[in-house]
Amino acid sequence: MLTIDLTNKVIVVTGGGTGLGRVMTEHFIRCGAQVVICGRRETVLRETAQALGPAVHAYSCDVREWESVDNLLSRVVKDLGRLDAIVNNAAGNFLAASETLSSRAFRAVVDIVLMGTFHMSRWAGAYWIENRQPGHILNIVTTYTDTGCAFVLPSASAKAGVQALTLSLAYEWAPYGIRVNAIAPGPFPTEGAWSRLMPGRDFEEQYKKRLPTQRYGRPEELGALAAFLLSDLAPYLTGAIIPIDGAERLQGAMFNYLAQITDRDTLKAAFAALKAATRKE
Ligand code: HXC
Ligand code: NAP
């Protein structure tokens, strides 16, 4: 049987106290890892660490600040004796008409998402290179990094930057045995995301009907993918941006709208009529 083994690995998950970060943490410890969760709110982190058990270590850190990241990762190495992987999951996002955004509002998201990911990756990469040991950076982006996205301009801009950082570092640090990948989730209902991005229950139902799978992602599905990526089962996998979205991102492809006609016989009849009409004499 193939098993995901993360025994003795020390993994740092930013924003690990809530949502998808917490679920990834649960998966990592089930595979044997020690996980450091960090974020700004100490009570949230403490509650999560208590709920998940002794393999989870709560450290407060604000990823926007280099000093805070330097302090966190120095302490992790000192307290736990090693550092194997970083999961850059911390993020900020909200819905807004772009013409109303203040400079501080744009910066609030970019600082967490892009600067935070840079700070963590910069520290860990230098540490692994100096100590001649392999490492892994896993970034959590979104499916709109290639297309952009209306009403979430700061997030779309920052996540596109994180995607570029992922691809750049994957190549630059490959000779040192450092893998750099990203997961691009579609919609996963979490308190943090839904409270800021779902304008109401009706909207949530309407949105779901639009999804080709007719359902939202389940956090444990993302947790399993993250655990696999960090494991020794994927040593050649680097520089990858992996969507997990039930194919939602493909909606714009020209004829995909036809899939919304769920009665197959209606579709087949329409295609047959076209064929008959275009057949050569
Ligand atoms: C417009 C807003 C705003 C909003 C804040 N601001 N919220 N502007 N619409 N909803 C503006 C403020 O007015 C202020 O500008 C500036 O942003 C900074 O605000 P603060 O409240 O001081 O910011 P801060 O405390 O740093 O909080 C950052 C945050 C907050 C991003 C605004 O929401 C946060 O902490 N979020 C963390 C968790 C989170 O967002 N999770 C969702 C991730 S989900 P002025 O000019 O007035 O001073 C995700 C999913 C993607 O990313 C894809 C889904 C399918
Ligand atoms: P979430 O629960 O709100 O997670 C965000 C986390 O980031 C929180 O734990 C928050 O903790 C932390 N954080 C924010 N600012 C920070 C800072 N300055 N320093 C350290 N930590 C900080 O939302 P989620 O849905 O689980 O999102 C997790 C990741 O998935 C994000 O990268 C998000 O963009 C991505 N994603 C989610 C979805 C979805 O549908 N849920 C879709 C696509 C991508 P504190 O506030 O305590 O600091």
Side-chain angles (χ1 to χ4, degrees):
M1 193 169 54
L2 207 56
T3 50
I4 299 176
D5 183 9
L6 299 174
T7 307
N8 296 329
K9 288 197 193 290
V10 172
I11 301 169
V12 178
V13 181
T14 67
T18 64
L20 300 179
R22 177 176 165 142
V23 173
M24 283 189 277
T25 298
E26 282 181 63
H27 278 70
F28 299 156
I29 59 174
R30 262 196 254 150
C31 298
Q34 296 287 313
V35 182
V36 172
I37 55 172
C38 71
R40 295 166 299 179
R41 290 166 298 163
E42 282 185 31
T43 43
V44 170
L45 294 169
R46 253 200 316 273
E47 277 166 24
T48 297
Q50 253 162 24
L52 299 188
V56 177
H57 312 265
Y59 289 62
S60 72
C61 171
D62 186 335
V63 296
R64 294 172 297 186
E65 305 295 334
W66 171 253
E67 291 70 24
S68 184
V69 166
D70 184 24
N71 184 37
L72 165 78
L73 295 178
S74 305
R75 279 178 58 205
V76 167
V77 169
K78 186 163 163 280
D79 296 351
L80 299 176
R82 55 188 291 152
L83 174 65
D84 298 284
I86 299 282
V87 181
N88 287 308
N89 163 79
N93 203 352
F94 50 75
L95 286 175
S98 299
E99 66 275 20
T100 68
L101 284 169
S102 71
S103 172
R104 276 168 49 85
F106 192 83
R107 188 187 291 261
V109 172
V110 171
D111 275 355
I112 304 170
V113 174
L114 184 53
M115 292 309 295
T117 300
F118 166 70
H119 290 149
M120 295 290 295
S121 308
R122 161 70 177 79
W123 199 101
Y127 173 81
W128 290 321
I129 291 168
E130 191 184 328
N131 290 284
R132 295 172 196 279
Q133 67 180 75
H136 191 195
I137 296 167
L138 178 58
N139 297 323
I140 308 301
V141 293
T142 62
T143 47
Y144 49 64
T145 45
D146 289 329
T147 57
C149 192
F151 305 115
V152 287
L153 181 71
S155 169
S157 307
K159 293 284 192 182
V162 173
Q163 179 164 307
L165 178 148
T166 305
L167 301 174
S168 307
L169 291 181
Y171 197 89
E172 185 174 339
W173 289 348
Y176 300 104
I178 299 170
R179 294 193 291 127
V180 191
N181 290 301
I183 293 177
F188 283 75
T190 65
E191 223 290 298
W194 254 224
S195 62
R196 292 172 175 91
L197 303 169
M198 278 293 172
R201 189 98 195 124
D202 287 356
F203 186 89
E204 190 183 343
E205 281 307 310
Q206 216 179 311
Y207 189 105
K208 187 155 66 178
K209 285 197 195 117
R210 227 187 48 154
L211 301 172
T213 53
Q214 304 277 297
R215 72 165 175 91
Y216 291 117
R218 299 181 186 115
E220 62 274 18
E221 295 171 317
L222 189 143
L225 173 61
F228 165 74
L229 287 174
L230 293 192
S231 76
D232 295 335
L233 293 174
Y236 202 51
L237 213 168
T238 189
I241 312 292
I242 302 169
I244 175 164
D245 71 337
E248 187 215 7
R249 73 195 179 288
L250 306 175
Q251 196 181 30
M254 194 177 278
F255 295 106
N256 284 358
Y257 76 95
L258 289 171
Q260 282 162 10
I261 300 168
T262 48
D263 179 6
R264 216 60 180 174
D265 290 337
T266 305
L267 266 185
K268 286 186 205 158
F271 296 157
L274 279 176
K275 185 179 177 189
T278 53
R279 189 170 296 151
K280 289 203 180 78
E281 288 305 317

